[in-house]
Amino acid sequence: MELSLFEAERAWAYSQELLALSLQPTHEAKSSTLRHNATGRFRRAVHWSTQLLSQCQTLHTSDRLSTESLLEATVYTLVLNGRFLRYRDEFEDALIQLSVARNILDELASRATTSRDQALATYFADEIGPEIRYCAHELGHAKAYDVEGIVTDVSKQHRNQIVEGFDALLERLRTEGQSAAKDQAKRKLGVLLWEGEHVPVRNPELVDVLLRVQEGEAKLKEGAVEAPVRPKADDQKKRRKVKGSKSKRGVAAYDGILLALSDAEDVARRLVEAQKVSFPSWSLRSL
């Protein structure tokens, strides 16, 4: 599975590199050759992703792979295939593939047992949103801006044709999620409020550091609990010992939460800077 994934990623990355080179003025003479080679690499990426999905289906049938992993592999294949179809200007088929992939990602996000899994699904769903809008615009949809509405309509018509046993897979995903939810309860991020408003966290890396902040807050609250009162027979020395250990636990809890908050601030700042750098290229791709 890893080899198939690596081959697909390698072919996909190389195809994008060749396409970028074909658009540069310095390679104008070789533009057609570069695009031809990029198409070949793109097609190879779709081939390897299909191989990966076939392996996952076999393992899932023999109960050696979870339904969540199978659906993730399905999304990966659909997205690559949808992008290849969009690259070839086959917008109708591309819209179907990408919409079904987005629908599966929304289901994975809503049924995720951990906040990180939810953020991952949401992150990739947001990433293919502009591509769905672009395909809808090229097909002349009156409401091409309404990605959610397009995904709902298109996926409802085609998801059972594109993904065999789609409804059964969702039901099995729900069942598996219920059994795993108890074990993953500590990995759920609580609701974050800013001036009374809920702040959604959609980046997996930020979720990781905020979970550390949440754990630090929990330890801080535990340290704030009063130590149990000892019997009157205990001498003063033992009481001072209890008080001292409680104070040390409180200081350690404060240190832990301050360190986690510092890391969260660094991650948030880095993500904002990365978004500023990548925004121009993203806006061009979404036009």
Side-chain angles (χ1 to χ4, degrees):
M1 289 172 60
E2 288 181 352
L3 287 174
S4 298
L5 177 61
F6 291 159
E7 289 287 356
E9 285 290 288
R10 180 172 176 269
W12 155 255
Y14 193 23
S15 71
Q16 299 308 293
E17 183 181 349
L18 291 172
L19 284 173
L21 288 174
S22 69
L23 297 175
Q24 295 180 6
T26 54
H27 295 87
E28 186 174 357
K30 301 187 296 183
S31 178
S32 60
T33 301
L34 289 171
R35 290 185 66 84
H36 175 75
N37 293 337
T39 302
R41 290 289 176 174
F42 214 148
R43 187 177 287 108
R44 189 174 298 181
V46 173
H47 165 75
W48 280 111
S49 66
T50 305
Q51 289 287 100
L52 172 64
L53 179 57
S54 178
Q55 294 165 355
C56 291
Q57 289 171 336
T58 301
L59 291 172
H60 182 263
T61 302
S62 58
D63 292 327
R64 296 173 59 191
L65 190 72
S66 67
T67 304
E68 181 181 17
S69 297
L70 174 62
L71 288 173
E72 288 172 352
T74 302
V75 168
Y76 182 72
T77 304
L78 289 173
V79 170
L80 271 184
N81 196 36
R83 286 173 173 169
F84 182 60
L85 292 167
R86 182 173 65 86
Y87 166 71
R88 298 180 60 179
D89 293 340
E90 298 178 25
F91 297 112
E92 185 173 357
D93 290 336
L95 181 63
I96 292 173
Q97 299 276 327
L98 293 171
S99 294
V100 174
R102 170 65 183 267
N103 183 231
I104 296 175
L105 285 168
D106 290 342
E107 293 288 348
L108 288 171
S110 64
R111 300 167 191 262
T113 56
T114 69
S115 294
R116 178 178 175 79
D117 289 344
Q118 184 180 39
L120 278 170
T122 303
Y123 177 83
F124 285 106
D126 290 344
E127 191 176 60
I128 63 175
E131 299 178 75
I132 293 173
R133 184 169 64 246
Y134 177 80
C135 292
H137 173 74
E138 290 295 318
L139 290 170
H141 282 250
K143 295 183 178 181
Y145 58 86
D146 184 14
V147 174
E148 298 292 339
I150 292 171
V151 169
T152 300
D153 294 339
V154 175
S155 62
K156 187 180 295 184
Q157 298 177 35
H158 299 281
R159 62 188 185 185
N160 284 296
Q161 301 169 6
I162 301 295
V163 182
E164 185 178 355
F166 182 86
D167 295 332
L169 286 174
L170 287 186
E171 180 59 27
R172 188 166 175 177
L173 176 66
R174 184 187 65 81
T175 304
E176 292 177 1
Q178 288 178 345
S179 61
K182 295 180 181 179
D183 299 332
Q184 304 291 347
K186 293 183 179 180
R187 301 178 65 185
K188 274 284 189 180
L189 187 65
V191 177
L192 297 179
L193 297 176
W194 176 258
E195 296 185 351
E197 295 292 331
H198 174 234
V199 180
V201 182
R202 307 173 78 87
N203 186 280
E205 190 177 358
L206 192 56
V207 167
D208 288 339
V209 291
L210 289 177
L211 281 172
R212 287 176 49 202
V213 174
Q214 183 173 283
E215 292 172 1
E217 290 177 340
K219 290 180 180 179
L220 189 62
K221 290 179 181 179
E222 291 175 4
V225 177
E226 292 291 336
V229 179
R230 292 182 177 273
K232 293 182 180 180
D234 288 352
D235 55 19
Q236 192 67 24
K237 183 178 179 180
K238 289 184 178 180
R239 293 189 182 188
R240 286 198 299 270
K241 185 177 180 181
V242 171
K243 186 176 180 180
S245 63
K246 177 186 173 184
S247 177
K248 290 180 180 178
R249 288 198 303 271
V251 172
Y254 270 112
D255 287 343
I257 193 172
L258 287 174
L259 179 60
L261 284 168
S262 177
D263 291 343
E265 184 181 9
D266 290 341
V267 170
R269 184 182 294 108
R270 188 168 67 251
L271 291 173
V272 169
E273 292 173 354
Q275 187 177 22
K276 288 179 180 178
V277 171
S278 62
F279 180 77
S281 59
W282 173 86
S283 62
L284 289 174
R285 289 199 303 271
S286 63
L287 290 178

